[in-house]
Each structure stands twice: as structure tokens, then as C-alpha cells.
Amino acid sequence: MCHEQKWQEFLDWAKSKPRAYYLGMGDYDDLASSSERSILLDRKLHESTKDTLETQYKSHTLRLAKELSFMNGRLLGLIEGNHYGEFINGTTTTQLLADKLETAYLGVSCFIRLTFAYLNAHSHHRMCIDLWAHHGRGAARLVGGSLNRVSQMEEAAEADIYLMGHDHKKSAATKTRLKLTGVSPQSFRLTHRKVLLCRTGSFLKGYEEGKASYIVDGAMNPTDLGVVKIEMTPRRKQIKGNIDEISVDLHASI
């Protein structure tokens, strides 16, 4: 049920963006769910059946790694989802994919810090953007409920960008917070800080003529397929003589 045309369009777009970086949010091949893995790992299965499953897992993963090989060096890492294959040695297809793409395996939840440096002959400034990415939990019929799950992440940890996948929806919202900067009364400044909240989307179709799916069974809404793209623009503003103020503007598009 992958929308192959949209997937190929994404790959073509991504290959044309040499400055883009990527983050995998889980469920890369829509393989076995948690309940299905408990069946497929049953010790009663014949060794030949286990070998067949492992061969199938490996072939799917290597094919995907080949499609994504252009991301090498610009892939921040791969988050684990709840749909994946598990090998007999206890590793997962996501770990194999991360190994083949030479990137980090991030588990189901991770914090990432991106550092932007402004360097010249007179001053060195650094600005950090913090991300909290989680594969996701829960689902909601409406977009507001889906984003509310992401907003709840704010209650647990401070970040600039909160990302969640899992429910296939593609949506984004922003919040603005006041922030006091500076380390002395002379340098204090009251500034605004933008926060992004995103459900990161998928390429899994819910409805296709003549095919069964749990989306059809549950009369669920179809969703706009694809990924969320986040643009980060470093900005420099000179204030109070020679003092540079460095910031990074965040913009999400769906």
C-alpha cells in the first residue's frame, strides 16, 4: 500500500537538495507489528521458515538502503518504530538499515542538537537548535488531537522542535515564547523564540480499489501523504555597537 509515485517524487526532490539533512521517524518498510513479531519469533517455527523470514527481512532492508544511499553523510539517524522485522540474533531491520547507511540507530526516542556557528576575525558565536523526536504514541481522528499528542511533549522536556510520527498524518503548528538572553544586566534582552510541533507523515495509502486495509475496516479518514520539511535560516543582527545577535529562524512546510 505504499504510494510509490509519491515516494519516487520525494526521492527525486531530495536528490536535488544537496544542503538537506534527514531524520528517519520509524516504520520504514511497514513490516511486522509487535503482536505479529511475537508470532513470527515462535520457537516452534521450523528453521527453514525462520531462514525464509530472515532472508525476506534482509532483502527488503537492503533494497531500501540502496534507495536511500544518496543520504549518506546527511542522515542524522534512524528512529525505531513499532513495525519492523526482528532477526534471530535480536537486532532489528532498522538497525541493519542504519548500519548500511552509516548513520546512528536512535531507538524509539532521541534528542538531537544542531549547532550553527558564526565565525569572523572579531567574534565567534554559536546558536543551537534542539530537537526531541519520538516515533509516536496514540492516534486521533482529527488533526487537532494528533498535534495535541506532540504538544504534550513540551510538558516533559524543553526543545525548539518536537517531532512525532506513527499516526501517518502530516501536520505542523508553531508556538512563540518569550526568552530572556544575556548574562549581565547590560546585555539582557527580551526576545521571541519559535517552537515547532510536527507530525511527520508517511507514504502509506489507506484506500486503494480492490485492496483490504485496517484503514478501510475502521472507516478512517485518508491522509495527505508525504513528509514535513523544516527550513532553518541562520540570521545575524548587530545590536549595541559591535555585539552580534545570532538566531535561527524555523519554518515548517507540509
PDB file of all heavy atoms in Angstrom, residues 31-32 36-61 84-88 91-93 96:
ATOM      1  N   LEU A  31       6.857  -3.437   8.206  1.00  0.00           N
ATOM      2  CA  LEU A  31       6.945  -4.873   8.475  1.00  0.00           C
ATOM      3  C   LEU A  31       6.124  -5.231   9.710  1.00  0.00           C
ATOM      4  O   LEU A  31       5.188  -4.527  10.058  1.00  0.00           O
ATOM      5  CB  LEU A  31       8.422  -5.268   8.623  1.00  0.00           C
ATOM      6  CG  LEU A  31       9.243  -5.156   7.332  1.00  0.00           C
ATOM      7  CD1 LEU A  31      10.717  -5.378   7.621  1.00  0.00           C
ATOM      8  CD2 LEU A  31       8.769  -6.143   6.279  1.00  0.00           C
ATOM      9  N   ALA A  32       6.471  -6.299  10.379  1.00  0.00           N
ATOM     10  CA  ALA A  32       5.628  -6.868  11.424  1.00  0.00           C
ATOM     11  C   ALA A  32       5.373  -5.921  12.592  1.00  0.00           C
ATOM     12  O   ALA A  32       6.269  -5.202  13.035  1.00  0.00           O
ATOM     13  CB  ALA A  32       6.271  -8.156  11.938  1.00  0.00           C
ATOM     14  N   GLU A  36       2.522  -9.297  15.840  1.00  0.00           N
ATOM     15  CA  GLU A  36       2.941 -10.209  14.778  1.00  0.00           C
ATOM     16  C   GLU A  36       4.350 -10.746  15.026  1.00  0.00           C
ATOM     17  O   GLU A  36       4.642 -11.914  14.730  1.00  0.00           O
ATOM     18  CB  GLU A  36       2.869  -9.497  13.425  1.00  0.00           C
ATOM     19  CG  GLU A  36       1.443  -9.212  12.976  1.00  0.00           C
ATOM     20  CD  GLU A  36       1.392  -8.277  11.784  1.00  0.00           C
ATOM     21  OE1 GLU A  36       2.318  -7.450  11.627  1.00  0.00           O
ATOM     22  OE2 GLU A  36       0.413  -8.364  11.026  1.00  0.00           O
ATOM     23  N   ARG A  37       5.243  -9.902  15.577  1.00  0.00           N
ATOM     24  CA  ARG A  37       6.615 -10.365  15.852  1.00  0.00           C
ATOM     25  C   ARG A  37       6.627 -11.483  16.880  1.00  0.00           C
ATOM     26  O   ARG A  37       7.445 -12.406  16.811  1.00  0.00           O
ATOM     27  CB  ARG A  37       7.492  -9.193  16.313  1.00  0.00           C
ATOM     28  CG  ARG A  37       7.914  -8.277  15.181  1.00  0.00           C
ATOM     29  CD  ARG A  37       9.033  -7.344  15.622  1.00  0.00           C
ATOM     30  NE  ARG A  37       8.652  -6.512  16.746  1.00  0.00           N
ATOM     31  CZ  ARG A  37       7.974  -5.371  16.654  1.00  0.00           C
ATOM     32  NH1 ARG A  37       7.609  -4.925  15.459  1.00  0.00           N
ATOM     33  NH2 ARG A  37       7.680  -4.672  17.726  1.00  0.00           N
ATOM     34  N   SER A  38       5.715 -11.416  17.850  1.00  0.00           N
ATOM     35  CA  SER A  38       5.669 -12.482  18.859  1.00  0.00           C
ATOM     36  C   SER A  38       5.284 -13.812  18.222  1.00  0.00           C
ATOM     37  O   SER A  38       5.702 -14.878  18.691  1.00  0.00           O
ATOM     38  CB  SER A  38       4.681 -12.119  19.971  1.00  0.00           C
ATOM     39  OG  SER A  38       3.354 -12.079  19.467  1.00  0.00           O
ATOM     40  N   ILE A  39       4.512 -13.773  17.152  1.00  0.00           N
ATOM     41  CA  ILE A  39       4.148 -14.996  16.428  1.00  0.00           C
ATOM     42  C   ILE A  39       5.313 -15.466  15.563  1.00  0.00           C
ATOM     43  O   ILE A  39       5.678 -16.646  15.551  1.00  0.00           O
ATOM     44  CB  ILE A  39       2.901 -14.751  15.552  1.00  0.00           C
ATOM     45  CG1 ILE A  39       1.692 -14.405  16.433  1.00  0.00           C
ATOM     46  CG2 ILE A  39       2.603 -15.964  14.673  1.00  0.00           C
ATOM     47  CD1 ILE A  39       0.487 -13.916  15.645  1.00  0.00           C
ATOM     48  N   LEU A  40       5.933 -14.516  14.850  1.00  0.00           N
ATOM     49  CA  LEU A  40       6.991 -14.860  13.909  1.00  0.00           C
ATOM     50  C   LEU A  40       8.277 -15.303  14.601  1.00  0.00           C
ATOM     51  O   LEU A  40       9.138 -15.915  13.966  1.00  0.00           O
ATOM     52  CB  LEU A  40       7.280 -13.664  12.995  1.00  0.00           C
ATOM     53  CG  LEU A  40       6.120 -13.260  12.072  1.00  0.00           C
ATOM     54  CD1 LEU A  40       6.433 -11.950  11.364  1.00  0.00           C
ATOM     55  CD2 LEU A  40       5.837 -14.359  11.056  1.00  0.00           C
ATOM     56  N   LEU A  41       8.420 -14.992  15.887  1.00  0.00           N
ATOM     57  CA  LEU A  41       9.600 -15.420  16.645  1.00  0.00           C
ATOM     58  C   LEU A  41       9.334 -16.690  17.463  1.00  0.00           C
ATOM     59  O   LEU A  41      10.149 -17.071  18.297  1.00  0.00           O
ATOM     60  CB  LEU A  41      10.063 -14.294  17.571  1.00  0.00           C
ATOM     61  CG  LEU A  41      10.661 -13.060  16.875  1.00  0.00           C
ATOM     62  CD1 LEU A  41      10.844 -11.923  17.872  1.00  0.00           C
ATOM     63  CD2 LEU A  41      11.992 -13.417  16.220  1.00  0.00           C
ATOM     64  N   ASP A  42       8.190 -17.316  17.216  1.00  0.00           N
ATOM     65  CA  ASP A  42       7.821 -18.528  17.956  1.00  0.00           C
ATOM     66  C   ASP A  42       8.876 -19.620  17.730  1.00  0.00           C
ATOM     67  O   ASP A  42       9.262 -19.921  16.594  1.00  0.00           O
ATOM     68  CB  ASP A  42       6.458 -19.025  17.457  1.00  0.00           C
ATOM     69  CG  ASP A  42       5.849 -20.075  18.380  1.00  0.00           C
ATOM     70  OD1 ASP A  42       6.617 -20.896  18.923  1.00  0.00           O
ATOM     71  OD2 ASP A  42       4.618 -20.069  18.552  1.00  0.00           O
ATOM     72  N   ARG A  43       9.345 -20.215  18.812  1.00  0.00           N
ATOM     73  CA  ARG A  43      10.367 -21.264  18.737  1.00  0.00           C
ATOM     74  C   ARG A  43       9.875 -22.503  18.003  1.00  0.00           C
ATOM     75  O   ARG A  43      10.671 -23.335  17.574  1.00  0.00           O
ATOM     76  CB  ARG A  43      10.833 -21.645  20.143  1.00  0.00           C
ATOM     77  CG  ARG A  43      11.606 -20.552  20.853  1.00  0.00           C
ATOM     78  CD  ARG A  43      12.095 -21.031  22.201  1.00  0.00           C
ATOM     79  NE  ARG A  43      12.874 -20.015  22.893  1.00  0.00           N
ATOM     80  CZ  ARG A  43      13.438 -20.191  24.092  1.00  0.00           C
ATOM     81  NH1 ARG A  43      13.292 -21.363  24.711  1.00  0.00           N
ATOM     82  NH2 ARG A  43      14.120 -19.221  24.659  1.00  0.00           N
ATOM     83  N   LYS A  44       8.560 -22.640  17.860  1.00  0.00           N
ATOM     84  CA  LYS A  44       8.009 -23.817  17.200  1.00  0.00           C
ATOM     85  C   LYS A  44       8.161 -23.750  15.680  1.00  0.00           C
ATOM     86  O   LYS A  44       7.945 -24.765  14.990  1.00  0.00           O
ATOM     87  CB  LYS A  44       6.530 -23.970  17.571  1.00  0.00           C
ATOM     88  CG  LYS A  44       6.280 -24.227  19.050  1.00  0.00           C
ATOM     89  CD  LYS A  44       4.796 -24.304  19.348  1.00  0.00           C
ATOM     90  CE  LYS A  44       4.544 -24.491  20.843  1.00  0.00           C
ATOM     91  NZ  LYS A  44       3.074 -24.518  21.154  1.00  0.00           N
ATOM     92  N   LEU A  45       8.508 -22.581  15.153  1.00  0.00           N
ATOM     93  CA  LEU A  45       8.691 -22.466  13.710  1.00  0.00           C
ATOM     94  C   LEU A  45       9.890 -23.291  13.261  1.00  0.00           C
ATOM     95  O   LEU A  45      10.909 -23.367  13.965  1.00  0.00           O
ATOM     96  CB  LEU A  45       8.903 -20.999  13.312  1.00  0.00           C
ATOM     97  CG  LEU A  45       7.725 -20.045  13.484  1.00  0.00           C
ATOM     98  CD1 LEU A  45       8.143 -18.633  13.081  1.00  0.00           C
ATOM     99  CD2 LEU A  45       6.522 -20.486  12.661  1.00  0.00           C
ATOM    100  N   HIS A  46       9.778 -23.886  12.096  1.00  0.00           N
ATOM    101  CA  HIS A  46      10.894 -24.642  11.539  1.00  0.00           C
ATOM    102  C   HIS A  46      12.056 -23.704  11.228  1.00  0.00           C
ATOM    103  O   HIS A  46      11.857 -22.523  10.915  1.00  0.00           O
ATOM    104  CB  HIS A  46      10.457 -25.366  10.256  1.00  0.00           C
ATOM    105  CG  HIS A  46       9.487 -26.467  10.502  1.00  0.00           C
ATOM    106  ND1 HIS A  46       8.613 -26.935   9.549  1.00  0.00           N
ATOM    107  CD2 HIS A  46       9.241 -27.220  11.621  1.00  0.00           C
ATOM    108  CE1 HIS A  46       7.880 -27.904  10.040  1.00  0.00           C
ATOM    109  NE2 HIS A  46       8.238 -28.095  11.302  1.00  0.00           N
ATOM    110  N   GLU A  47      13.266 -24.263  11.291  1.00  0.00           N
ATOM    111  CA  GLU A  47      14.445 -23.462  10.978  1.00  0.00           C
ATOM    112  C   GLU A  47      14.381 -22.905   9.560  1.00  0.00           C
ATOM    113  O   GLU A  47      14.805 -21.788   9.296  1.00  0.00           O
ATOM    114  CB  GLU A  47      15.717 -24.308  11.154  1.00  0.00           C
ATOM    115  CG  GLU A  47      16.036 -24.661  12.600  1.00  0.00           C
ATOM    116  CD  GLU A  47      16.229 -23.430  13.466  1.00  0.00           C
ATOM    117  OE1 GLU A  47      16.824 -22.444  12.972  1.00  0.00           O
ATOM    118  OE2 GLU A  47      15.796 -23.441  14.630  1.00  0.00           O
ATOM    119  N   SER A  48      13.840 -23.700   8.636  1.00  0.00           N
ATOM    120  CA  SER A  48      13.728 -23.240   7.249  1.00  0.00           C
ATOM    121  C   SER A  48      12.779 -22.048   7.134  1.00  0.00           C
ATOM    122  O   SER A  48      13.005 -21.129   6.356  1.00  0.00           O
ATOM    123  CB  SER A  48      13.240 -24.380   6.355  1.00  0.00           C
ATOM    124  OG  SER A  48      11.978 -24.865   6.804  1.00  0.00           O
ATOM    125  N   THR A  49      11.721 -22.042   7.950  1.00  0.00           N
ATOM    126  CA  THR A  49      10.778 -20.919   7.958  1.00  0.00           C
ATOM    127  C   THR A  49      11.460 -19.664   8.515  1.00  0.00           C
ATOM    128  O   THR A  49      11.297 -18.562   7.977  1.00  0.00           O
ATOM    129  CB  THR A  49       9.540 -21.261   8.814  1.00  0.00           C
ATOM    130  OG1 THR A  49       8.929 -22.446   8.304  1.00  0.00           O
ATOM    131  CG2 THR A  49       8.537 -20.120   8.789  1.00  0.00           C
ATOM    132  N   LYS A  50      12.234 -19.851   9.578  1.00  0.00           N
ATOM    133  CA  LYS A  50      12.964 -18.720  10.161  1.00  0.00           C
ATOM    134  C   LYS A  50      13.963 -18.151   9.150  1.00  0.00           C
ATOM    135  O   LYS A  50      14.102 -16.934   9.015  1.00  0.00           O
ATOM    136  CB  LYS A  50      13.698 -19.162  11.434  1.00  0.00           C
ATOM    137  CG  LYS A  50      12.775 -19.576  12.566  1.00  0.00           C
ATOM    138  CD  LYS A  50      13.581 -20.071  13.766  1.00  0.00           C
ATOM    139  CE  LYS A  50      12.687 -20.576  14.880  1.00  0.00           C
ATOM    140  NZ  LYS A  50      13.474 -21.110  16.034  1.00  0.00           N
ATOM    141  N   ASP A  51      14.652 -19.032   8.434  1.00  0.00           N
ATOM    142  CA  ASP A  51      15.612 -18.579   7.433  1.00  0.00           C
ATOM    143  C   ASP A  51      14.917 -17.799   6.319  1.00  0.00           C
ATOM    144  O   ASP A  51      15.444 -16.797   5.824  1.00  0.00           O
ATOM    145  CB  ASP A  51      16.357 -19.778   6.833  1.00  0.00           C
ATOM    146  CG  ASP A  51      17.324 -20.419   7.825  1.00  0.00           C
ATOM    147  OD1 ASP A  51      17.674 -19.747   8.817  1.00  0.00           O
ATOM    148  OD2 ASP A  51      17.722 -21.583   7.599  1.00  0.00           O
ATOM    149  N   THR A  52      13.745 -18.270   5.927  1.00  0.00           N
ATOM    150  CA  THR A  52      12.981 -17.579   4.879  1.00  0.00           C
ATOM    151  C   THR A  52      12.590 -16.176   5.332  1.00  0.00           C
ATOM    152  O   THR A  52      12.708 -15.208   4.573  1.00  0.00           O
ATOM    153  CB  THR A  52      11.715 -18.378   4.523  1.00  0.00           C
ATOM    154  OG1 THR A  52      12.090 -19.663   4.032  1.00  0.00           O
ATOM    155  CG2 THR A  52      10.892 -17.650   3.461  1.00  0.00           C
ATOM    156  N   LEU A  53      12.133 -16.067   6.576  1.00  0.00           N
ATOM    157  CA  LEU A  53      11.760 -14.765   7.126  1.00  0.00           C
ATOM    158  C   LEU A  53      12.965 -13.827   7.173  1.00  0.00           C
ATOM    159  O   LEU A  53      12.870 -12.658   6.789  1.00  0.00           O
ATOM    160  CB  LEU A  53      11.165 -14.929   8.523  1.00  0.00           C
ATOM    161  CG  LEU A  53       9.758 -15.516   8.611  1.00  0.00           C
ATOM    162  CD1 LEU A  53       9.399 -15.824  10.061  1.00  0.00           C
ATOM    163  CD2 LEU A  53       8.733 -14.555   8.003  1.00  0.00           C
ATOM    164  N   GLU A  54      14.090 -14.339   7.643  1.00  0.00           N
ATOM    165  CA  GLU A  54      15.298 -13.505   7.740  1.00  0.00           C
ATOM    166  C   GLU A  54      15.757 -13.049   6.356  1.00  0.00           C
ATOM    167  O   GLU A  54      16.171 -11.890   6.178  1.00  0.00           O
ATOM    168  CB  GLU A  54      16.416 -14.275   8.451  1.00  0.00           C
ATOM    169  CG  GLU A  54      16.089 -14.637   9.879  1.00  0.00           C
ATOM    170  CD  GLU A  54      17.140 -14.161  10.867  1.00  0.00           C
ATOM    171  OE1 GLU A  54      18.298 -13.968  10.470  1.00  0.00           O
ATOM    172  OE2 GLU A  54      16.776 -13.957  12.051  1.00  0.00           O
ATOM    173  N   THR A  55      15.676 -13.923   5.384  1.00  0.00           N
ATOM    174  CA  THR A  55      16.049 -13.556   4.013  1.00  0.00           C
ATOM    175  C   THR A  55      15.134 -12.462   3.484  1.00  0.00           C
ATOM    176  O   THR A  55      15.586 -11.514   2.832  1.00  0.00           O
ATOM    177  CB  THR A  55      15.974 -14.795   3.095  1.00  0.00           C
ATOM    178  OG1 THR A  55      16.881 -15.791   3.576  1.00  0.00           O
ATOM    179  CG2 THR A  55      16.337 -14.428   1.666  1.00  0.00           C
ATOM    180  N   GLN A  56      13.845 -12.593   3.788  1.00  0.00           N
ATOM    181  CA  GLN A  56      12.871 -11.601   3.352  1.00  0.00           C
ATOM    182  C   GLN A  56      13.133 -10.248   4.020  1.00  0.00           C
ATOM    183  O   GLN A  56      13.127  -9.206   3.361  1.00  0.00           O
ATOM    184  CB  GLN A  56      11.477 -12.124   3.705  1.00  0.00           C
ATOM    185  CG  GLN A  56      10.309 -11.529   3.015  1.00  0.00           C
ATOM    186  CD  GLN A  56      10.219 -11.768   1.529  1.00  0.00           C
ATOM    187  OE1 GLN A  56      11.151 -12.271   0.881  1.00  0.00           O
ATOM    188  NE2 GLN A  56       9.118 -11.370   0.963  1.00  0.00           N
ATOM    189  N   TYR A  57      13.363 -10.263   5.323  1.00  0.00           N
ATOM    190  CA  TYR A  57      13.669  -9.022   6.047  1.00  0.00           C
ATOM    191  C   TYR A  57      14.901  -8.337   5.446  1.00  0.00           C
ATOM    192  O   TYR A  57      14.916  -7.127   5.212  1.00  0.00           O
ATOM    193  CB  TYR A  57      13.955  -9.321   7.532  1.00  0.00           C
ATOM    194  CG  TYR A  57      12.778  -9.756   8.351  1.00  0.00           C
ATOM    195  CD1 TYR A  57      12.972 -10.454   9.546  1.00  0.00           C
ATOM    196  CD2 TYR A  57      11.470  -9.464   7.974  1.00  0.00           C
ATOM    197  CE1 TYR A  57      11.905 -10.865  10.329  1.00  0.00           C
ATOM    198  CE2 TYR A  57      10.396  -9.870   8.746  1.00  0.00           C
ATOM    199  CZ  TYR A  57      10.616 -10.576   9.926  1.00  0.00           C
ATOM    200  OH  TYR A  57       9.570 -10.964  10.697  1.00  0.00           O
ATOM    201  N   LYS A  58      15.942  -9.137   5.233  1.00  0.00           N
ATOM    202  CA  LYS A  58      17.205  -8.581   4.755  1.00  0.00           C
ATOM    203  C   LYS A  58      17.058  -8.002   3.354  1.00  0.00           C
ATOM    204  O   LYS A  58      17.562  -6.911   3.069  1.00  0.00           O
ATOM    205  CB  LYS A  58      18.292  -9.644   4.775  1.00  0.00           C
ATOM    206  CG  LYS A  58      19.688  -9.101   4.512  1.00  0.00           C
ATOM    207  CD  LYS A  58      20.750 -10.158   4.728  1.00  0.00           C
ATOM    208  CE  LYS A  58      22.143  -9.571   4.508  1.00  0.00           C
ATOM    209  NZ  LYS A  58      23.203 -10.596   4.738  1.00  0.00           N
ATOM    210  N   SER A  59      16.356  -8.704   2.464  1.00  0.00           N
ATOM    211  CA  SER A  59      16.214  -8.224   1.091  1.00  0.00           C
ATOM    212  C   SER A  59      15.425  -6.919   1.033  1.00  0.00           C
ATOM    213  O   SER A  59      15.777  -6.001   0.292  1.00  0.00           O
ATOM    214  CB  SER A  59      15.554  -9.294   0.214  1.00  0.00           C
ATOM    215  OG  SER A  59      14.219  -9.550   0.621  1.00  0.00           O
ATOM    216  N   HIS A  60      14.356  -6.811   1.830  1.00  0.00           N
ATOM    217  CA  HIS A  60      13.572  -5.571   1.891  1.00  0.00           C
ATOM    218  C   HIS A  60      14.441  -4.418   2.388  1.00  0.00           C
ATOM    219  O   HIS A  60      14.401  -3.309   1.852  1.00  0.00           O
ATOM    220  CB  HIS A  60      12.369  -5.752   2.829  1.00  0.00           C
ATOM    221  CG  HIS A  60      11.163  -6.322   2.173  1.00  0.00           C
ATOM    222  ND1 HIS A  60      10.140  -5.558   1.669  1.00  0.00           N
ATOM    223  CD2 HIS A  60      10.817  -7.605   1.920  1.00  0.00           C
ATOM    224  CE1 HIS A  60       9.206  -6.327   1.147  1.00  0.00           C
ATOM    225  NE2 HIS A  60       9.592  -7.576   1.287  1.00  0.00           N
ATOM    226  N   THR A  61      15.217  -4.683   3.439  1.00  0.00           N
ATOM    227  CA  THR A  61      16.027  -3.641   4.060  1.00  0.00           C
ATOM    228  C   THR A  61      17.147  -3.176   3.129  1.00  0.00           C
ATOM    229  O   THR A  61      17.409  -1.971   3.006  1.00  0.00           O
ATOM    230  CB  THR A  61      16.607  -4.141   5.389  1.00  0.00           C
ATOM    231  OG1 THR A  61      15.534  -4.555   6.238  1.00  0.00           O
ATOM    232  CG2 THR A  61      17.399  -3.052   6.086  1.00  0.00           C
ATOM    233  N   TYR A  84       8.590  -3.410  12.390  1.00  0.00           N
ATOM    234  CA  TYR A  84       9.930  -3.744  11.905  1.00  0.00           C
ATOM    235  C   TYR A  84      10.109  -5.262  11.993  1.00  0.00           C
ATOM    236  O   TYR A  84       9.337  -5.963  12.659  1.00  0.00           O
ATOM    237  CB  TYR A  84      11.017  -3.035  12.722  1.00  0.00           C
ATOM    238  CG  TYR A  84      10.964  -3.287  14.216  1.00  0.00           C
ATOM    239  CD1 TYR A  84      11.556  -4.412  14.789  1.00  0.00           C
ATOM    240  CD2 TYR A  84      10.305  -2.394  15.059  1.00  0.00           C
ATOM    241  CE1 TYR A  84      11.499  -4.647  16.152  1.00  0.00           C
ATOM    242  CE2 TYR A  84      10.236  -2.622  16.427  1.00  0.00           C
ATOM    243  CZ  TYR A  84      10.837  -3.743  16.964  1.00  0.00           C
ATOM    244  OH  TYR A  84      10.778  -3.978  18.321  1.00  0.00           O
ATOM    245  N   GLY A  85      11.122  -5.742  11.319  1.00  0.00           N
ATOM    246  CA  GLY A  85      11.458  -7.151  11.426  1.00  0.00           C
ATOM    247  C   GLY A  85      12.535  -7.365  12.469  1.00  0.00           C
ATOM    248  O   GLY A  85      13.428  -6.532  12.623  1.00  0.00           O
ATOM    249  N   GLU A  86      12.447  -8.472  13.190  1.00  0.00           N
ATOM    250  CA  GLU A  86      13.451  -8.790  14.210  1.00  0.00           C
ATOM    251  C   GLU A  86      14.178 -10.067  13.812  1.00  0.00           C
ATOM    252  O   GLU A  86      13.547 -11.102  13.556  1.00  0.00           O
ATOM    253  CB  GLU A  86      12.799  -8.952  15.575  1.00  0.00           C
ATOM    254  CG  GLU A  86      13.801  -9.138  16.698  1.00  0.00           C
ATOM    255  CD  GLU A  86      13.163  -9.153  18.072  1.00  0.00           C
ATOM    256  OE1 GLU A  86      11.998  -8.716  18.192  1.00  0.00           O
ATOM    257  OE2 GLU A  86      13.824  -9.620  19.024  1.00  0.00           O
ATOM    258  N   PHE A  87      15.496  -9.976  13.753  1.00  0.00           N
ATOM    259  CA  PHE A  87      16.305 -11.132  13.393  1.00  0.00           C
ATOM    260  C   PHE A  87      16.482 -12.060  14.599  1.00  0.00           C
ATOM    261  O   PHE A  87      16.259 -11.662  15.750  1.00  0.00           O
ATOM    262  CB  PHE A  87      17.675 -10.682  12.860  1.00  0.00           C
ATOM    263  CG  PHE A  87      17.580  -9.896  11.584  1.00  0.00           C
ATOM    264  CD1 PHE A  87      17.816  -8.527  11.591  1.00  0.00           C
ATOM    265  CD2 PHE A  87      17.271 -10.517  10.386  1.00  0.00           C
ATOM    266  CE1 PHE A  87      17.738  -7.783  10.419  1.00  0.00           C
ATOM    267  CE2 PHE A  87      17.193  -9.793   9.210  1.00  0.00           C
ATOM    268  CZ  PHE A  87      17.422  -8.424   9.213  1.00  0.00           C
ATOM    269  N   ILE A  88      16.924 -13.278  14.335  1.00  0.00           N
ATOM    270  CA  ILE A  88      17.104 -14.270  15.399  1.00  0.00           C
ATOM    271  C   ILE A  88      18.115 -13.795  16.436  1.00  0.00           C
ATOM    272  O   ILE A  88      18.006 -14.094  17.621  1.00  0.00           O
ATOM    273  CB  ILE A  88      17.540 -15.618  14.789  1.00  0.00           C
ATOM    274  CG1 ILE A  88      16.408 -16.190  13.928  1.00  0.00           C
ATOM    275  CG2 ILE A  88      17.918 -16.625  15.876  1.00  0.00           C
ATOM    276  CD1 ILE A  88      16.783 -17.431  13.140  1.00  0.00           C
ATOM    277  N   THR A  91      18.663  -8.297  16.787  1.00  0.00           N
ATOM    278  CA  THR A  91      18.724  -6.985  16.134  1.00  0.00           C
ATOM    279  C   THR A  91      17.508  -6.810  15.225  1.00  0.00           C
ATOM    280  O   THR A  91      16.805  -7.772  14.898  1.00  0.00           O
ATOM    281  CB  THR A  91      20.016  -6.824  15.313  1.00  0.00           C
ATOM    282  OG1 THR A  91      20.038  -7.810  14.267  1.00  0.00           O
ATOM    283  CG2 THR A  91      21.236  -6.972  16.195  1.00  0.00           C
ATOM    284  N   THR A  92      17.276  -5.566  14.809  1.00  0.00           N
ATOM    285  CA  THR A  92      16.100  -5.261  14.007  1.00  0.00           C
ATOM    286  C   THR A  92      16.497  -4.818  12.602  1.00  0.00           C
ATOM    287  O   THR A  92      17.657  -4.472  12.342  1.00  0.00           O
ATOM    288  CB  THR A  92      15.273  -4.133  14.653  1.00  0.00           C
ATOM    289  OG1 THR A  92      15.979  -2.885  14.548  1.00  0.00           O
ATOM    290  CG2 THR A  92      14.992  -4.431  16.117  1.00  0.00           C
ATOM    291  N   THR A  93      15.500  -4.796  11.731  1.00  0.00           N
ATOM    292  CA  THR A  93      15.746  -4.319  10.369  1.00  0.00           C
ATOM    293  C   THR A  93      16.145  -2.847  10.373  1.00  0.00           C
ATOM    294  O   THR A  93      16.893  -2.410   9.498  1.00  0.00           O
ATOM    295  CB  THR A  93      14.498  -4.517   9.498  1.00  0.00           C
ATOM    296  OG1 THR A  93      13.340  -3.981  10.162  1.00  0.00           O
ATOM    297  CG2 THR A  93      14.253  -5.992   9.201  1.00  0.00           C
ATOM    298  N   LEU A  96      19.842  -2.749  10.992  1.00  0.00           N
ATOM    299  CA  LEU A  96      20.555  -3.129   9.770  1.00  0.00           C
ATOM    300  C   LEU A  96      20.556  -1.972   8.777  1.00  0.00           C
ATOM    301  O   LEU A  96      21.583  -1.680   8.159  1.00  0.00           O
ATOM    302  CB  LEU A  96      19.897  -4.360   9.138  1.00  0.00           C
ATOM    303  CG  LEU A  96      20.466  -4.815   7.785  1.00  0.00           C
ATOM    304  CD1 LEU A  96      21.945  -5.174   7.899  1.00  0.00           C
ATOM    305  CD2 LEU A  96      19.667  -6.000   7.237  1.00  0.00           C
TER     306      LEU A  96
END
